[in-house]
Amino acid sequence: MDAADVEGDLVDILFTEAEIQAKLGEMARQIEVDYEGKDLLVVGVLRGAVMVMADLSRALTRHVEMDWMAVSSYGSGTKSSGVVRILKDLDTDISGRHVLIIDEIIDSGLTLSWLTSNLASRNPASVEIGTLLRKPEAMKTEMDVKYVGWDIPNEFVVGYGLDYQERYRNLRDIGTLSPHVYS
């Protein structure tokens, strides 16, 4: 879906599909350097990270193993509840593995902080985080994020996996959702 298909629902476009692909390529190059010679397991956080995970993985020029987790802390609202539930756990034993969690956005940071602690308790060699977007103003917890595409303002954004009530995920760009849609 193109931005023109939902033009009245967006305040503006923050990042185009081409800009997103270029940024993911940059992130992939750094990941390759950092994990040279290491057995890397990339863990996508469903559902939002599907687009990021797919395109980031394709940008890598090395073999990479993938697994998925589904966690929830949002419900149908626009703010994180802070209560995390595992809806789908990993299928892979991560003991001794280098794990890179990939998410599409870090908002409050509460969900990823919890998820990082949960995975660290499973005896991996390392656990790091990569995200396409981060909202520094919305962060409610300190956390080390190794790979960040862009820091953005604390606004409600959709597209490229980001949704509002399961809509807009298939938008090719990332844009700011107009308040009239969710008010």
Side-chain angles (χ1 to χ4, degrees), residues 62-125:
R62 59 171 286 173
H63 294 289
V64 64
E65 189 176 338
M66 294 184 271
D67 203 345
W68 297 92
M69 285 190 80
V71 295
S72 175
S73 69
Y74 275 87
S76 61
T78 60
K79 301 288 183 197
S80 175
S81 68
V83 177
V84 180
R85 296 180 305 141
I86 294 179
L87 305 176
K88 185 228 173 279
D89 207 344
L90 295 175
D91 295 323
T92 307
D93 178 7
I94 65 170
S95 181
R97 305 283 305 271
H98 293 280
V99 177
L100 176 59
I101 303 168
I102 298 296
D103 210 350
E104 80 282 13
I105 191 166
I106 299 176
D107 197 334
S108 70
L110 296 173
T111 301
L112 274 179
S113 177
W114 181 91
L115 183 58
T116 302
S117 293
N118 179 284
L119 294 181
S121 73
R122 303 180 192 193
N123 301 313

Side-chain angles (χ1 to χ4, degrees), residues 18 31-32 34 37 46 57 67 73 75 84 90 99 111 125 138 144 146 149 157 162-164 174:
I31 290 166
E32 288 172 340
D34 293 346
L46 292 171
S57 296
D67 203 345
S73 69
V84 180
L90 295 175
V99 177
T111 301
D144 183 28
K146 191 165 187 170
V157 293
L162 296 151
D163 75 300
Y164 173 65
I174 295 173

